[in-house]
Amino acid sequence: MIHHSSPVSTEMAEISSSQHCFLQQPPKETPSVVDQDSVSSMENEWSLQKLKERFHEMDIEGLYRRYCERLKHSLLLTLLLLFVANGIILLVLFSLEKKSFDEHLEIPIIIGITAGILLAIFLVLQFSRLLHNFITLVSLFIWLLLLGGGLGFMFSQRHMKLPYNDVGYFFIITLLSYTMLPFSRRYAVIVGILTCLSYLIPALTISILDKTFLVTQFIANIIILLSVNLAGMYHKYFVDIAHRRTFLDTRHCIESRIKLEKEREQQERLLLSVLPAHLAKEMKEEMMGRVTGTSLHHSTSTCFHSMYIKRHLNVSILYADIVGFTTLAGECTPAELVRTLNELFGKFDQIAEKNNCMRIKILGDCYYCVSGLPDPIPDHAKNCVKMGLEICDAIKKVAWATGVDINMRVGVHTGNVLCGVIGLHKWQYDVWSHHVTLANHMESGGRPGRVHITMATLDELQGYYKVEPGDGHLRDDYLRENNVETFFVIDPKARNRVTPHMSQHRKLARDNKQRASVRMTRYLSTWGAHKPFQDLPDMSRNRTMYLTPESPRPVSPATGPDQVHVNVIRINSVPNSDVSASVQPSALEEQINERMEQAIEGITAHKQWIKSADMHRLTLGFKNPEWQEKYREMKVPMFKFNVLCAFMIFITMAIVQFTVLPKTPVLIWSYLLSTFTLLLVLFLSFAENIQCYKKHRHPTFSFLASMTSRVWWVRRCLALLVLITILTVAATSILDCGQGRALGLHSNGSGTDPTPSMPQCPNSTSASCIHVSPYFFLSYLLGMLSCVVFLQTGFSVKLVGLTLALVVYSVLLHQTHAWIFDGFDCMYANVSKDHLYVELRQRATIYLVVLYITILAIDRQVEYTSRMDFLWKTKCKREGEEVETMENLNKVLVENVMPVHVADHFLSSSARSSQELYSQSYEFVCVMFASIPNFKEFYVETDVNKEGLECLRLLNEIIADFDELLSKPKFSHVEKIKTIGSTYMAATGLTSTTGQQGVSYPEKLHLMGNIVDFALALVQKLHLINKHSFNDFKLRIGINHGPVIAGVIGARKPQYDIWGNSVNVASRMESTGVMGCIQVTEESAQFLTELNYQCECRGLIDVKGKGKLKTYLIDTSMATGMPHISSYTHRMSLE
């Protein structure tokens, strides 16, 4: 059995890794000169409007919302932990102050309750699924809780008359609303704006009432909050795009996974419909080995073709022939004939399965099976005899019910067999041995309605059935020559077979004026036999089912007027339904959505911290250098917009600093240099777009455009340059504020001596740097905000850059320029000495650390999930190739059972939905039987040749070489039908364009010449084999032409075959032919004479069932290199 490699649990774990998104796409070969259309088309792929339209068309918007909520689950947990830790830190800071809580309990209580609620929410979300379906409401509650805490803190410090009113807190809350809270894009914008208004309106009101309103600072606050909203909107917009693209990619991967599962299941069923399970497994592994280059057969032996034959001891072989069916077949239409055979042999298959027998093959109207395969069965002889009795009984019921004169002749023998398949095309499970030959003659030497057994079988029965002498030697020469003693089994239920009801039914059947074939067909339809490939999935639907927009949509070929007419038989008619084309896509879509829901539920927050075999846990780099290189080379189409957004943040920071901070030379020169640097990077980033509008492209300009769009390290360097520039210029504004030296003691406001516990403060309240010191660390926040917009820069790079920036900012805050921030605290200490107060440096540090952790948490998840998505896409691509390989293998398997056009019929959705049989009549078909009569003399069963196995190895080489001729263009119209022992059967004219339409005379000549050329090619091929194997095998070939009926019968082992008088005569031409010659009928000889083949009249010969027929012989010596006719050899050498 084929092992499915994608259970839901594995898939959930893998898809859950693809939790986030990344703004990149696979690398494409981009020329150095890029036209406008290519750039615009690339950007159109990132159009949010078009993506949303696709989602609405596919009706997956609701599922996508759940997907986004689960993606933000880990970030939401991080947010909760951050603010729980923030609350704990504030409580610790308050407790360290030398002020009593007795008069200021409200603030610690509020902070403690808030932290406790957030911690409770964290624990519920982490360890329970109680709130997972209400995550949006939970996020709204968290936002209101944080917003209320900020407003409460701001109002509690109103008495301090702070000019900036803690804008940093609302800066953080606004950013979190866009990045970490799982709001939709629309709700995130609303929440972000409300957060800013919730600060600005009360701050404006308080400052006006307290007469501390400063226009410049209020404008700076507005610009700061505006910048964080713009950065958040940008981040949310492109993350939404990337989420949707990742969602579609994940959905497409799931679709490929489902299709791969279906293809594997289908391949298994296809193989099992042709071969037994034990052999199918071996052949499947061999087929896959050939594709992957790990074939064991080819690696161990390159001199011989693969052979799948095993020896089995002590089995029973049953041969059964329908007596009188040839006459009945002459009266049947093609549809009736195929239906009749399918119903009869379908019934026989059911009887065989019930009695633990394995059907081997169907030869015309002959059916044979074996009991004791693949595993030994003690009662194999009883099984075969019981089956023989039951099929005799079944056929008698048909005869009595329909009035048709048919019966069964059954022969059974017990012995050893070699079983398997030989050749390269049209695999059919078969058995070989002298015991098989004897079983065949037991059938031909039997009597209608009786089960004919040998002494070996009788011994295995151990008296279970009563028998009587069979006298088979009187009816069969082989039995007489080998002195085989035979017996007839006495049916213990024979007396009860014919009932009065059956006798009455028989009388009514005889009185019926309908043809015997019609009565037969109608009666057999009540058996309800299975149809060929009934249990197989519809391969054509699997191949044409493309639900994702990126998937190619193959165009089905139109049905032209010249298409062959096919007779279609409806089995067990059901009400006509047109839902086959719609239900199946819907079913597949539902299956994909179900898998997506399971994958979404499997997304976890801790997966990125688990040790991975593919990535380093800290740096997230791939351990495979090839993957690392390919990941880096993936294009980032939105990189230029990242630079543009960072530049906009730089502009807002410049406005804030030039509006509020002192205009020092250091500040001015740093912004001049930074502006020039950023404009240069911006120009390089948009070089590809600018180039599209230039009529004359300079080579240098084209080179720059190519470098920025194709070379990953150039983009990485440009991103680093932008980030370093902005982070640096945010810190330079404080450098020109020199260390204050004229420091006085802080006055307590009463003219008394200074309080020793109070810090030293500037003696002048006009120090410009001290008054605006909060905007120094707000500039730091803006500088770090620029890191948010670069979604694909590399986590390790950002980790190093942000860590260095945090260290530098901390040094400025707490060491080199700490006096500035201490001076700010001193200026308001006189009003806060009796109140709880957190120093500015402490608050600034908390905000910087919170922003630092927030950015790293966001970027790490982006980096991790983008890399996992890369791995997922790589695996999906590999699975897509496996799906294509499976599809090709499935097609090869079906075409190994039947011709291509017949296989296409069974792969079509119409044939699958209406449960149809296939039959087709042909006006002109040339049939060939080619046997190796002296192979029977070569075949011996001794210990030296492994009981005949080595003899069959040579036969396998012969048949495989014959099959290889079919791949030549000249013999593309030759269809191999089957092999029967050492007999090779083929035909021409069985194509989809030569059905019931008229065949022109030139076409008839071509078909006849083609089959004769193929027969001569077989002779030539066998001559070469004789040279290398030192044998003297000769072919005996018979060819005939005329109308035939083709069809597929058998549900458990579907088999394509042809029937008709023309086939029977071709078989007789071979069996009565001459070694080394091709025997044809007089009508066929007339065609060949026109083709300049030398035909020698043999005269009248006796043909079983046909009487005397005048036949002709074609000398095959030309194929072995004889000089008197060299034209054929010359033609073959040219081809």
Side-chain angles (χ1 to χ4, degrees):
M1 300 293 289
I2 298 177
H3 175 68
H4 297 282
S5 63
S6 56
V8 171
S9 59
T10 304
E11 184 177 85
M12 288 168 56
E14 291 175 342
I15 299 177
S16 64
S17 301
S18 182
Q19 297 176 5
H20 209 70
C21 55
F22 60 104
L23 303 179
Q24 58 185 21
Q25 64 181 22
K28 299 179 180 178
E29 292 297 329
T30 307
S32 59
V33 179
V34 185
D35 58 4
Q36 182 179 356
D37 294 337
S38 63
V39 175
S40 60
S41 63
M42 182 184 299
E43 293 177 3
N44 285 337
E45 293 179 359
W46 292 82
S47 170
L48 181 60
Q49 184 62 32
K50 292 185 178 180
L51 285 171
K52 293 180 71 173
E53 290 175 359
R54 291 178 181 176
F55 274 64
H56 286 295
E57 290 175 1
M58 299 167 66
D59 195 22
I60 54 175
E61 187 68 26
L63 190 62
Y64 169 71
R65 293 299 177 193
R66 291 183 55 198
Y67 174 75
C68 290
E69 291 174 357
R70 291 298 297 168
L71 291 182
K72 290 293 183 68
H73 183 261
S74 62
L75 292 177
L76 181 60
L77 295 179
T78 304
L79 181 149
L80 292 172
L81 285 180
L82 271 176
F83 279 88
V84 169
N86 185 37
I88 295 174
I89 292 173
L90 288 176
L91 292 176
V92 171
L93 291 177
F94 287 150
S95 66
L96 293 178
E97 290 193 16
K98 298 179 180 179
K99 299 174 183 178
S100 175
F101 277 7
D102 297 337
E103 300 177 0
H104 312 287
L105 287 176
E106 66 278 2
I107 294 180
I109 290 176
I110 292 175
I111 293 176
I113 293 175
T114 303
I117 294 174
L118 294 178
L119 180 61
I121 295 174
F122 170 82
L123 295 175
V124 173
L125 289 177
Q126 176 66 24
F127 301 105
S128 173
R129 306 182 65 85
L130 182 63
L131 300 178
H132 284 191
N133 293 329
F134 308 98
I135 196 68
T136 302
L137 294 177
V138 172
S139 302
L140 184 61
F141 175 76
I142 293 173
W143 171 72
L144 291 174
L145 197 63
L146 296 178
L147 186 63
L151 292 174
F153 195 78
M154 184 174 67
F155 280 105
S156 68
Q157 293 188 340
R158 177 186 173 185
H159 59 282
M160 300 181 187
K161 304 184 186 306
L162 300 179
Y164 75 106
N165 288 323
D166 211 9
V167 68
Y169 179 85
F170 293 89
F171 178 96
I172 299 293
I173 298 300
T174 304
L175 180 62
L176 296 179
S177 301
Y178 287 100
T179 57
M180 301 186 80
L181 290 175
F183 292 127
S184 65
R185 187 167 57 93
R186 179 182 301 176
Y187 291 151
V189 173
I190 294 174
V191 169
I193 294 175
L194 288 178
T195 302
C196 297
L197 294 177
S198 299
Y199 163 75
L200 291 174
I201 294 175
L204 177 63
T205 304
I206 291 174
S207 61
I208 292 176
L209 293 177
D210 294 343
K211 299 180 181 181
T212 59
F213 177 72
L214 297 175
V215 176
T216 55
Q217 292 188 5
F218 188 75
I219 293 176
N221 293 345
I222 294 176
I223 294 174
I224 290 172
L225 295 178
L226 179 63
S227 67
V228 72
N229 271 279
L230 290 177
M233 290 179 187
Y234 175 87
H235 182 275
K236 194 73 175 179
Y237 180 85
F238 284 107
V239 163
D240 191 13
I241 293 176
H243 273 169
R244 291 179 183 273
R245 289 179 59 85
T246 303
F247 183 86
L248 289 179
D249 290 338
T250 305
R251 183 181 172 86
H252 178 60
C253 291
I254 291 178
E255 181 183 359
S256 298
R257 180 72 62 86
I258 293 174
K259 289 170 66 177
L260 180 60
E261 293 174 2
K262 290 182 180 294
E263 290 293 338
R264 285 177 173 171
E265 179 184 2
Q266 182 172 272
Q267 185 195 66
E268 177 185 2
R269 291 186 178 181
L270 276 171
L271 278 171
L272 294 178
S273 70
V274 182
L275 305 168
H278 68 286
L279 189 62
K281 180 181 180 181
E282 181 182 355
M283 297 190 72
K284 183 190 78 72
E285 292 174 353
E286 170 66 12
M287 291 168 60
M288 295 303 298
R290 291 182 184 180
V291 174
T292 59
T294 59
S295 173
L296 294 178
H297 287 78
H298 286 276
S299 62
T300 57
S301 177
T302 58
C303 300
F304 299 100
H305 294 91
S306 299
M307 185 176 70
Y308 309 94
I309 297 177
K310 295 184 180 299
R311 188 165 184 261
H312 292 268
L313 305 178
N314 200 23
V315 300
S316 292
I317 310 107
L318 178 147
Y319 270 81
D321 186 65
I322 305 175
V323 180
F325 187 79
T326 302
T327 304
L328 176 66
E331 303 176 7
C332 292
T333 64
E336 292 170 347
L337 176 62
V338 174
R339 171 182 283 182
T340 300
L341 288 173
N342 186 75
E343 294 289 344
L344 281 174
F345 293 138
K347 182 67 172 180
F348 295 170
D349 284 344
Q350 294 174 6
I351 296 174
E353 184 177 10
K354 184 178 69 172
N355 291 286
N356 291 323
C357 295
M358 179 188 294
R359 190 246 287 176
I360 302 300
K361 192 180 290 186
I362 298 171
L363 300 175
D365 57 356
C366 180
Y367 182 101
Y368 66 100
C369 63
V370 175
S371 181
L373 291 180
D375 300 318
I377 300 176
D379 298 332
H380 54 86
K382 295 178 184 179
N383 294 337
C384 279
V385 171
K386 184 181 178 184
M387 177 181 173
L389 294 173
E390 289 185 6
I391 62 177
C392 287
D393 179 54
I395 210 71
K396 286 177 182 178
K397 288 181 180 179
V398 175
W400 277 96
T402 62
V404 178
D405 188 15
I406 59 172
N407 212 326
M408 291 298 298
R409 189 170 57 226
V410 180
V412 180
H413 174 60
T414 300
N416 305 327
V417 297
L418 292 167
C419 60
V421 297
I422 60 174
L424 304 177
H425 300 292
K426 297 299 183 293
W427 289 330
Q428 289 185 5
Y429 192 65
D430 210 345
V431 292
W432 301 268
S433 73
H434 292 314
H435 298 283
V436 175
T437 305
L438 178 56
N440 189 6
H441 284 278
M442 287 298 294
E443 175 272 314
S444 60
R447 286 179 180 173
R450 303 300 302 271
V451 178
H452 197 202
I453 65 174
T454 62
M455 178 62 75
T457 304
L458 182 62
D459 293 339
E460 289 290 334
L461 291 176
Q462 298 177 354
Y464 190 81
Y465 287 98
K466 294 182 179 181
V467 297
E468 60 185 12
D471 298 326
H473 61 282
L474 301 178
R475 295 178 298 274
D476 188 89
D477 295 339
Y478 183 87
L479 299 178
R480 183 178 62 254
E481 293 171 0
N482 290 276
N483 297 319
V484 178
E485 185 179 2
T486 66
F487 305 89
F488 285 125
V489 176
I490 299 175
D491 190 351
K493 301 178 182 180
R495 298 176 182 178
N496 301 324
R497 295 297 186 195
V498 181
T499 64
H501 174 74
M502 293 175 58
S503 300
Q504 183 181 3
H505 203 295
R506 179 177 177 83
K507 182 177 183 301
L508 293 175
R510 287 179 174 175
D511 295 339
N512 196 331
K513 301 298 183 181
Q514 292 178 330
R515 290 183 293 110
S517 59
V518 176
R519 300 196 303 271
M520 183 90 163
T521 303
R522 289 190 173 181
Y523 177 79
L524 292 177
S525 64
T526 62
W527 284 1
H530 289 275
K531 279 69 64 183
F533 300 108
Q534 177 179 338
D535 297 329
L536 293 181
D538 191 338
M539 286 184 285
S540 67
R541 290 183 198 164
N542 289 341
R543 283 201 299 267
T544 58
M545 203 65 57
Y546 296 95
L547 300 180
T548 55
E550 292 81 7
S551 302
R553 304 177 183 269
V555 181
S556 58
T559 303
D562 57 341
Q563 186 175 358
V564 62
H565 175 75
V566 177
N567 274 324
V568 173
I569 313 160
R570 189 174 299 277
I571 302 296
N572 296 336
S573 296
V574 295
N576 189 17
S577 176
D578 296 329
V579 299
S580 61
S582 59
V583 173
Q584 184 70 13
S586 177
L588 180 58
E589 186 174 357
E590 290 178 1
Q591 189 175 3
I592 294 173
N593 289 340
E594 182 180 354
R595 292 280 187 93
M596 284 293 295
E597 289 177 358
Q598 295 173 350
I600 290 170
E601 293 300 323
I603 295 176
T604 58
H606 61 278
K607 189 171 181 62
Q608 59 178 299
W609 300 102
I610 299 177
K611 185 177 181 180
S612 172
D614 300 316
M615 292 186 297
H616 297 285
R617 189 182 305 181
L618 179 62
T619 63
L620 298 180
F622 287 122
K623 296 179 180 179
N624 187 333
E626 183 180 357
W627 288 355
Q628 182 72 10
E629 188 65 25
K630 287 183 178 180
Y631 176 78
R632 287 172 175 174
E633 291 176 355
M634 297 181 76
K635 295 196 67 175
V636 185
M638 297 299 107
F639 173 76
K640 51 183 173 290
F641 297 110
N642 295 343
V643 176
L644 179 61
C645 187
F647 183 74
M648 297 299 296
I649 294 175
F650 170 79
I651 295 298
T652 59
M653 187 171 63
I655 295 174
V656 169
Q657 292 192 350
F658 279 97
T659 301
V660 179
L661 301 182
K663 288 74 174 177
T664 62
V666 174
L667 181 67
I668 296 174
W669 279 106
S670 63
Y671 269 99
L672 287 177
L673 293 175
S674 301
T675 303
F676 174 78
T677 302
L678 294 180
L679 286 176
L680 178 61
V681 175
L682 196 62
F683 173 77
L684 293 175
S685 302
F686 279 88
E688 189 176 17
N689 295 75
I690 298 172
Q691 185 185 10
C692 299
Y693 298 96
K694 292 178 65 68
K695 295 182 179 179
H696 304 287
R697 299 183 177 97
H698 194 275
T700 304
F701 196 88
S702 300
F703 172 76
L704 293 176
S706 175
M707 290 289 289
T708 55
S709 62
R710 297 180 60 184
V711 183
W712 69 269
W713 60 266
V714 172
R715 292 195 305 271
R716 182 69 59 85
C717 291
L718 292 178
L720 284 176
L721 181 59
V722 171
L723 293 178
I724 291 174
T725 300
I726 297 177
L727 290 172
T728 302
V729 77
T732 56
S733 57
I734 201 174
L735 297 181
D736 213 22
C737 292
Q739 174 70 47
R741 300 187 183 275
L743 296 179
L745 294 178
H746 174 74
S747 173
N748 59 13
S750 61
T752 60
D753 292 338
T755 305
S757 61
M758 290 295 177
Q760 291 183 325
C761 300
N763 57 5
S764 176
T765 58
S766 62
S768 58
C769 289
I770 295 176
H771 285 294
V772 295
S773 55
Y775 291 93
F776 288 120
F777 86 81
L778 290 175
S779 298
Y780 303 161
L781 295 180
L782 285 175
M784 296 175 69
L785 180 66
S786 62
C787 298
V788 175
V789 300
F790 285 93
L791 299 180
Q792 190 61 28
T793 306
F795 173 75
S796 58
V797 176
K798 278 191 179 182
L799 176 64
V800 174
L802 283 172
T803 302
L804 290 176
L806 182 64
V807 170
V808 171
Y809 295 160
S810 299
V811 170
L812 293 175
L813 282 170
H814 297 279
Q815 295 295 327
T816 60
H817 294 72
W819 65 273
I820 297 178
F821 302 98
D822 292 339
F824 181 85
D825 292 332
C826 289
M827 292 174 62
Y828 297 97
N830 60 337
V831 295
S832 63
K833 60 183 178 180
D834 295 327
H835 298 80
L836 294 177
Y837 176 73
V838 181
E839 296 180 1
L840 181 61
R841 286 189 297 146
Q842 295 173 345
R843 274 179 287 172
T845 303
I846 291 175
Y847 296 150
L848 288 173
V849 172
V850 169
L851 184 60
Y852 171 82
I853 296 175
T854 300
I855 295 175
L856 288 184
I858 296 171
D859 194 68
R860 179 179 174 84
Q861 189 181 46
V862 169
E863 179 78 8
Y864 173 77
T865 53
S866 64
R867 287 179 178 272
M868 290 303 299
D869 195 47
F870 170 81
L871 292 178
W872 177 253
K873 286 182 178 180
T874 303
K875 186 174 183 179
C876 180
K877 181 180 179 181
R878 184 170 63 249
E879 289 183 350
E881 294 172 353
E882 290 183 15
V883 169
E884 185 177 357
T885 301
M886 289 292 182
E887 289 175 350
N888 293 334
L889 288 178
N890 289 342
K891 190 172 183 181
V892 168
L893 286 172
V894 178
E895 292 174 1
N896 244 333
V897 184
M898 58 195 69
V900 176
H901 66 281
V902 182
D904 291 338
H905 167 77
F906 281 99
L907 299 181
S908 67
S909 58
S910 59
R912 187 78 58 197
S913 60
S914 58
Q915 298 185 355
E916 299 160 345
L917 281 173
Y918 173 87
S919 70
Q920 188 170 344
S921 60
Y922 292 89
E923 175 189 331
F924 189 91
V925 173
C926 301
V927 185
M928 180 207 75
F929 285 84
S931 68
I932 310 174
N934 53 344
F935 183 80
K936 295 179 181 179
E937 302 172 0
F938 173 79
Y939 180 83
V940 291
E941 296 178 357
T942 62
D943 293 336
V944 176
N945 62 15
K946 300 179 182 179
E947 299 298 330
L949 183 63
E950 295 304 320
C951 298
L952 288 183
R953 187 181 301 277
L954 180 57
L955 179 62
N956 181 61
E957 292 301 310
I958 294 173
I959 301 299
D961 285 352
F962 287 175
D963 288 343
E964 288 177 346
L965 293 173
L966 297 172
S967 61
K968 291 191 174 184
K970 178 175 183 178
F971 301 129
S972 59
H973 294 290
V974 178
E975 190 70 45
K976 177 185 176 183
I977 306 299
K978 57 189 170 185
T979 56
I980 311 161
S982 60
T983 301
Y984 195 95
M985 180 183 177
T988 57
L990 296 174
T991 61
S992 59
T993 58
T994 59
Q996 294 178 342
Q997 302 175 356
V999 182
S1000 64
Y1001 191 76
E1003 290 176 343
K1004 293 180 180 179
L1005 289 176
H1006 172 73
L1007 293 175
M1008 181 60 71
N1010 201 215
I1011 196 66
V1012 173
D1013 283 350
F1014 182 71
L1016 294 174
L1018 297 183
V1019 174
Q1020 185 186 44
K1021 183 67 72 173
L1022 186 60
H1023 177 70
L1024 295 175
I1025 293 174
N1026 286 334
K1027 273 187 170 183
H1028 292 90
S1029 63
F1030 305 102
N1031 285 298
D1032 190 26
F1033 295 126
K1034 290 186 181 298
L1035 283 174
R1036 187 175 65 199
I1037 303 174
I1039 294 177
N1040 187 39
H1041 73 273
V1044 302
I1045 298 171
V1048 178
I1049 59 174
R1052 288 168 175 79
K1053 291 185 177 65
Q1055 180 175 321
Y1056 177 81
D1057 210 343
I1058 56 177
W1059 303 272
N1061 182 64
S1062 303
V1063 179
N1064 296 334
V1065 172
S1067 178
R1068 303 305 181 204
M1069 288 297 98
E1070 179 274 320
S1071 60
T1072 61
V1074 179
M1075 294 268 289
C1077 294
I1078 302 173
Q1079 182 171 242
V1080 298
T1081 60
E1082 185 175 10
E1083 294 79 6
S1084 298
Q1086 292 175 1
F1087 284 104
L1088 296 175
T1089 302
E1090 294 191 37
L1091 294 172
N1092 298 323
Y1093 288 97
Q1094 296 182 359
C1095 300
E1096 178 184 350
C1097 180
R1098 185 183 181 189
L1100 296 176
I1101 62 170
D1102 287 325
V1103 177
K1104 182 180 178 181
K1106 303 299 177 184
K1108 297 286 186 179
L1109 288 182
K1110 189 176 184 180
T1111 63
Y1112 289 77
L1113 298 177
I1114 302 174
D1115 188 11
T1116 60
S1117 59
M1118 65 184 77
T1120 59
M1122 297 298 290
H1124 60 281
I1125 299 178
S1126 60
S1127 60
Y1128 171 78
T1129 305
H1130 179 64
R1131 291 200 307 272
M1132 292 299 296
S1133 64
L1134 290 177
E1135 297 173 3

